[in-house]
Amino acid sequence: MYCNSGSLDENKDSIIKYINSIKQNSYRLSKLINNIVDTSKIEAGFFEMNLSNKNIVEVIEKIVMSVVDFTQSKGLNIIFDTDKEEKIIACDPENIERIILNLISNAIKFSNEGNEIFVDVKDKNEFVEISVKDNGIGIEEKNLDMIFDRFKQVDKSLSRKTEGAGVGLSLVKSIVELHGGTIYAESEFGKGSKFTVKIPSGKVLNQNISYSGNVRSENENVKVELSDIYS
Ligand code: ADP
Protein backbone atom coordinates (compact mmCIF):
# COMPACT_ATOMS: atom_id res chain seq x y z
CA MET A 1 0.00 0.00 0.00
CA TYR A 2 2.75 2.45 1.02
CA CYS A 3 4.78 1.31 -2.01
CA ASN A 4 1.92 2.02 -4.36
CA SER A 5 1.23 5.43 -2.90
CA GLY A 6 4.96 6.29 -2.90
CA SER A 7 4.86 7.07 0.84
CA LEU A 8 7.40 4.52 2.12
CA ASP A 9 9.66 7.12 3.70
CA GLU A 10 7.03 9.02 5.67
CA ASN A 11 5.65 5.75 7.04
CA LYS A 12 9.01 4.28 8.09
CA ASP A 13 8.03 3.96 11.77
CA SER A 14 4.82 2.06 11.16
CA ILE A 15 6.55 -0.11 8.52
CA ILE A 16 9.19 -1.11 11.11
CA LYS A 17 6.41 -1.84 13.62
CA TYR A 18 4.53 -4.06 11.13
CA ILE A 19 7.69 -5.88 10.00
CA ASN A 20 8.56 -6.68 13.62
CA SER A 21 5.06 -7.97 14.16
CA ILE A 22 5.29 -10.14 11.02
CA LYS A 23 8.68 -11.46 12.18
CA GLN A 24 7.41 -12.31 15.68
CA ASN A 25 4.40 -14.14 14.26
CA SER A 26 6.61 -15.98 11.76
CA TYR A 27 8.69 -17.25 14.67
CA ARG A 28 5.50 -18.39 16.41
CA LEU A 29 4.27 -20.11 13.28
CA SER A 30 7.67 -21.73 12.82
CA LYS A 31 7.59 -23.04 16.40
CA LEU A 32 4.06 -24.38 16.03
CA ILE A 33 4.84 -26.14 12.73
CA ASN A 34 8.11 -27.60 14.06
CA ASN A 35 6.33 -28.86 17.16
CA ILE A 36 3.43 -30.43 15.28
CA VAL A 37 5.67 -32.03 12.64
CA ASP A 38 8.04 -33.41 15.28
CA THR A 39 5.20 -34.75 17.44
CA SER A 40 3.86 -36.58 14.37
CA LYS A 41 7.34 -37.88 13.53
CA ILE A 42 7.78 -39.19 17.07
CA GLU A 43 4.39 -40.92 16.93
CA ALA A 44 5.26 -42.50 13.56
CA GLY A 45 8.70 -43.57 14.82
CA PHE A 46 10.58 -41.39 12.31
CA PHE A 47 12.07 -38.83 14.67
CA GLU A 48 15.85 -38.93 14.54
CA MET A 49 17.89 -38.35 17.66
CA ASN A 50 21.56 -37.47 17.35
CA LEU A 51 23.11 -38.67 20.56
CA SER A 52 26.65 -37.69 21.47
CA ASN A 53 28.62 -37.64 24.72
CA LYS A 54 28.43 -34.07 25.98
CA ASN A 55 28.99 -32.17 29.20
CA ILE A 56 25.32 -31.69 30.11
CA VAL A 57 26.17 -29.06 32.75
CA GLU A 58 27.81 -26.86 30.12
CA VAL A 59 24.97 -27.46 27.63
CA ILE A 60 22.35 -26.30 30.17
CA GLU A 61 24.42 -23.35 31.44
CA LYS A 62 24.88 -22.07 27.87
CA ILE A 63 21.11 -22.26 27.25
CA VAL A 64 20.40 -20.30 30.42
CA MET A 65 23.03 -17.69 29.52
CA SER A 66 21.42 -17.25 26.09
CA VAL A 67 18.12 -16.11 27.65
CA VAL A 68 19.43 -13.90 30.47
CA ASP A 69 18.97 -10.64 28.51
CA PHE A 70 15.50 -11.66 27.38
CA THR A 71 14.27 -12.64 30.86
CA GLN A 72 15.74 -9.44 32.29
CA SER A 73 13.85 -7.42 29.70
CA LYS A 74 10.67 -9.10 31.04
CA GLY A 75 11.56 -8.00 34.57
CA LEU A 76 12.47 -11.54 35.63
CA ASN A 77 15.65 -12.90 37.15
CA ILE A 78 17.02 -16.25 35.96
CA ILE A 79 19.52 -18.12 38.13
CA PHE A 80 21.60 -21.15 37.14
CA ASP A 81 23.03 -23.50 39.76
CA THR A 82 24.82 -26.85 39.69
CA ASP A 83 26.55 -29.22 42.12
CA LYS A 84 29.02 -30.38 39.46
CA GLU A 85 31.02 -28.59 36.77
CA GLU A 86 31.31 -31.53 34.41
CA LYS A 87 29.11 -34.54 33.75
CA ILE A 88 29.47 -36.24 30.38
CA ILE A 89 26.35 -38.11 29.27
CA ALA A 90 24.75 -39.24 26.03
CA CYS A 91 22.32 -36.57 24.87
CA ASP A 92 21.15 -34.72 21.80
CA PRO A 93 22.15 -31.10 22.58
CA GLU A 94 19.78 -29.57 20.04
CA ASN A 95 16.84 -31.40 21.56
CA ILE A 96 18.01 -30.77 25.12
CA GLU A 97 17.94 -27.10 24.13
CA ARG A 98 14.33 -27.47 23.00
CA ILE A 99 13.34 -29.13 26.27
CA ILE A 100 14.95 -26.45 28.43
CA LEU A 101 13.85 -23.48 26.27
CA ASN A 102 10.26 -24.77 26.34
CA LEU A 103 10.32 -25.06 30.13
CA ILE A 104 11.93 -21.62 30.48
CA SER A 105 9.41 -20.16 28.01
CA ASN A 106 6.55 -21.47 30.17
CA ALA A 107 8.24 -20.22 33.34
CA ILE A 108 8.42 -16.73 31.78
CA LYS A 109 4.86 -16.90 30.42
CA PHE A 110 3.30 -17.90 33.71
CA SER A 111 5.29 -15.56 35.96
CA ASN A 112 4.85 -11.94 36.88
CA GLU A 113 7.35 -9.11 36.84
CA GLY A 114 9.87 -9.36 39.66
CA ASN A 115 9.61 -13.17 39.87
CA GLU A 116 12.58 -15.52 39.69
CA ILE A 117 13.37 -18.60 37.62
CA PHE A 118 15.83 -21.19 38.95
CA VAL A 119 17.52 -23.71 36.65
CA ASP A 120 19.32 -26.39 38.59
CA VAL A 121 21.50 -29.32 37.46
CA LYS A 122 22.20 -32.11 39.96
CA ASP A 123 24.38 -35.16 39.48
CA LYS A 124 22.56 -38.17 40.95
CA ASN A 125 25.12 -40.72 39.64
CA GLU A 126 22.83 -42.99 37.58
CA PHE A 127 21.01 -39.96 36.21
CA VAL A 128 21.20 -36.20 35.91
CA GLU A 129 18.38 -34.15 37.36
CA ILE A 130 17.56 -30.85 35.67
CA SER A 131 14.87 -28.65 37.18
CA VAL A 132 13.24 -25.42 36.07
CA LYS A 133 11.43 -23.69 38.91
CA ASP A 134 9.41 -20.49 38.96
CA ASN A 135 7.49 -18.58 41.59
CA GLY A 136 4.74 -17.62 39.17
CA ILE A 137 1.01 -18.39 39.02
CA GLY A 138 1.30 -22.14 39.69
CA ILE A 139 -0.97 -24.99 38.58
CA GLU A 140 -3.89 -26.48 40.48
CA GLU A 141 -3.28 -30.06 41.67
CA LYS A 142 -6.16 -31.41 39.55
CA ASN A 143 -4.51 -30.08 36.36
CA LEU A 144 -0.98 -31.32 37.01
CA ASP A 145 -1.30 -34.56 35.03
CA MET A 146 -3.15 -33.24 32.01
CA ILE A 147 -0.68 -30.47 31.11
CA PHE A 148 1.58 -33.05 29.43
CA ASP A 149 -1.25 -34.09 27.09
CA ARG A 150 -1.30 -32.56 23.63
CA PHE A 151 -3.40 -29.39 23.20
CA LYS A 152 -4.20 -29.28 26.93
CA GLN A 153 -4.01 -25.86 28.56
CA VAL A 154 -5.27 -24.88 32.00
CA ASP A 155 -6.67 -21.60 30.66
CA LYS A 156 -8.15 -22.13 27.20
CA SER A 157 -10.10 -18.88 27.16
CA LEU A 158 -9.52 -16.39 24.36
CA SER A 159 -8.83 -13.79 27.00
CA ARG A 160 -5.94 -15.73 28.57
CA LYS A 161 -2.84 -13.64 29.12
CA THR A 162 -0.40 -15.83 27.19
CA GLU A 163 -0.03 -17.31 23.73
CA GLY A 164 0.52 -20.97 22.91
CA ALA A 165 -1.16 -24.01 21.46
CA GLY A 166 -0.63 -26.51 24.25
CA VAL A 167 1.78 -28.74 22.32
CA GLY A 168 5.05 -27.73 24.03
CA LEU A 169 4.96 -29.95 27.11
CA SER A 170 3.70 -32.98 25.20
CA LEU A 171 6.69 -32.69 22.82
CA VAL A 172 9.07 -32.02 25.72
CA LYS A 173 7.85 -35.22 27.43
CA SER A 174 8.35 -37.27 24.25
CA ILE A 175 11.89 -35.94 23.70
CA VAL A 176 12.78 -36.62 27.35
CA GLU A 177 11.47 -40.18 26.92
CA LEU A 178 13.54 -40.63 23.73
CA HIS A 179 16.55 -39.89 25.96
CA GLY A 180 15.35 -42.71 28.23
CA GLY A 181 14.37 -40.14 30.84
CA THR A 182 11.32 -38.94 32.76
CA ILE A 183 9.65 -35.61 33.51
CA TYR A 184 7.21 -34.55 36.20
CA ALA A 185 5.71 -31.35 37.53
CA GLU A 186 5.12 -30.15 41.08
CA SER A 187 3.22 -27.01 41.87
CA GLU A 188 1.50 -24.97 44.49
CA PHE A 189 -1.33 -22.92 43.05
CA GLY A 190 -0.51 -19.23 43.33
CA LYS A 191 3.03 -19.92 44.50
CA GLY A 192 4.87 -21.42 41.54
CA SER A 193 5.80 -24.56 39.62
CA LYS A 194 8.77 -26.86 39.31
CA PHE A 195 9.46 -29.15 36.35
CA THR A 196 12.03 -31.90 36.90
CA VAL A 197 13.70 -33.81 34.07
CA LYS A 198 15.77 -36.93 34.76
CA ILE A 199 18.17 -38.13 32.05
CA PRO A 200 20.11 -41.39 32.50
CA SER A 201 23.90 -41.05 32.76
CA GLY A 202 24.77 -43.52 29.97
CA LYS A 203 27.25 -42.91 27.15
CA VAL A 204 27.06 -43.76 23.44
CA LEU A 205 29.80 -45.72 21.68
CA ASN A 206 29.08 -44.50 18.18
CA GLN A 207 28.78 -40.75 18.12
CA ASN A 208 27.61 -39.03 15.00
CA ILE A 209 30.39 -36.43 15.15
CA SER A 210 29.86 -35.13 11.63
CA TYR A 211 26.29 -34.20 12.48
CA SER A 212 25.52 -30.54 12.63
CA GLY A 213 21.76 -30.38 12.48
CA ASN A 214 21.81 -26.88 13.84
CA VAL A 215 20.90 -24.94 10.73
CA ARG A 216 19.47 -22.03 12.65
CA SER A 217 21.83 -19.79 14.58
CA GLU A 218 21.69 -20.23 18.37
CA ASN A 219 20.10 -16.84 18.63
CA GLU A 220 17.44 -17.84 16.13
CA ASN A 221 16.60 -20.98 18.18
CA VAL A 222 15.96 -18.81 21.23
CA LYS A 223 13.74 -16.44 19.22
CA VAL A 224 11.67 -19.34 17.87
CA GLU A 225 11.32 -21.17 21.19
CA LEU A 226 10.46 -18.00 23.13
CA SER A 227 8.21 -16.62 20.40
CA ASP A 228 5.00 -17.01 22.44
CA ILE A 229 6.23 -14.15 24.59
CA TYR A 230 5.97 -10.78 22.92
CA SER A 231 9.05 -8.64 23.08
P1 ADP B 1 1.34 -23.74 25.98
O1 ADP B 1 2.38 -23.09 26.84
O2 ADP B 1 1.58 -23.55 24.52
O3 ADP B 1 -0.06 -23.40 26.38
P2 ADP B 1 2.38 -26.25 27.04
O4 ADP B 1 2.17 -27.65 26.57
O5 ADP B 1 3.79 -25.74 27.05
O6 ADP B 1 1.45 -25.33 26.17
O7 ADP B 1 1.78 -26.11 28.50
C1 ADP B 1 0.47 -26.60 28.75
C2 ADP B 1 -0.18 -25.82 29.88
O8 ADP B 1 0.48 -26.12 31.12
C3 ADP B 1 -0.10 -24.30 29.75
O9 ADP B 1 -1.10 -23.77 28.90
C4 ADP B 1 -0.29 -23.87 31.21
O10 ADP B 1 -1.67 -23.89 31.54
C5 ADP B 1 0.41 -24.98 32.00
N1 ADP B 1 1.80 -24.62 32.39
C6 ADP B 1 2.94 -25.05 31.80
N2 ADP B 1 4.04 -24.56 32.42
C7 ADP B 1 3.57 -23.77 33.44
C8 ADP B 1 4.21 -22.99 34.46
N3 ADP B 1 5.54 -22.90 34.56
N4 ADP B 1 3.40 -22.33 35.34
C9 ADP B 1 2.04 -22.42 35.25
N5 ADP B 1 1.38 -23.15 34.32
C10 ADP B 1 2.14 -23.82 33.41
Side-chain angles (χ1 to χ4, degrees), residues 31 102-103 105-111 132 134 136-139 143 146-149 151-155 160 162-171 187 192-195 228:
K31 177 178 177 179
N102 259 291
L103 296 178
S105 168
N106 279 342
I108 299 174
K109 269 159 61 170
F110 302 105
S111 290
V132 178
D134 63 66
I137 66 167
I139 305 162
N143 293 322
M146 69 96 157
I147 56 170
F148 292 100
D149 295 342
F151 304 123
K152 289 286 172 66
Q153 297 174 304
V154 173
D155 181 0
R160 68 171 184 271
T162 60
E163 299 292 346
V167 283
L169 282 180
S170 142
L171 179 70
S187 186
S193 315
K194 182 178 177 188
F195 288 80
D228 285 343

Side-chain angles (χ1 to χ4, degrees), residues 190-203:
K191 294 231 167 116
S193 315
K194 182 178 177 188
F195 288 80
T196 306
V197 174
K198 292 181 180 179
I199 308 272
S201 307
K203 291 215 175 77

Side-chain angles (χ1 to χ4, degrees), residues 64-117:
V64 175
M65 291 309 135
S66 72
V67 299
V68 167
D69 287 349
F70 186 81
T71 41
Q72 266 171 7
S73 75
K74 298 276 137 209
L76 297 160
N77 205 9
I78 188 159
I79 297 143
F80 173 80
D81 196 18
T82 180
D83 61 1
K84 195 120 184 230
E85 286 310 313
E86 188 178 276
K87 176 82 179 176
I88 312 278
I89 63 161
C91 62
D92 178 339
E94 201 188 329
N95 279 310
I96 292 286
E97 184 185 66
R98 266 173 107 183
I99 296 171
I100 304 303
L101 285 180
N102 259 291
L103 296 178
I104 292 177
S105 168
N106 279 342
I108 299 174
K109 269 159 61 170
F110 302 105
S111 290
N112 298 307
E113 236 184 286
N115 283 168
E116 285 182 317
I117 299 167

Side-chain angles (χ1 to χ4, degrees), residues 163-180:
E163 299 292 346
V167 283
L169 282 180
S170 142
L171 179 70
V172 162
K173 186 168 186 245
S174 300
I175 301 177
V176 169
E177 285 168 357
L178 285 171
H179 277 89

Side-chain angles (χ1 to χ4, degrees), residues 182-223:
T182 53
I183 180 168
Y184 61 90
E186 297 160 281
S187 186
E188 209 177 320
F189 191 50
K191 294 231 167 116
S193 315
K194 182 178 177 188
F195 288 80
T196 306
V197 174
K198 292 181 180 179
I199 308 272
S201 307
K203 291 215 175 77
V204 276
L205 291 175
N206 299 315
Q207 298 191 72
N208 188 354
I209 43 171
S210 63
Y211 171 72
S212 157
N214 220 346
V215 283
R216 298 177 291 178
S217 73
E218 277 175 27
N219 197 13
E220 199 87 331
N221 285 358
V222 172
K223 281 185 180 150

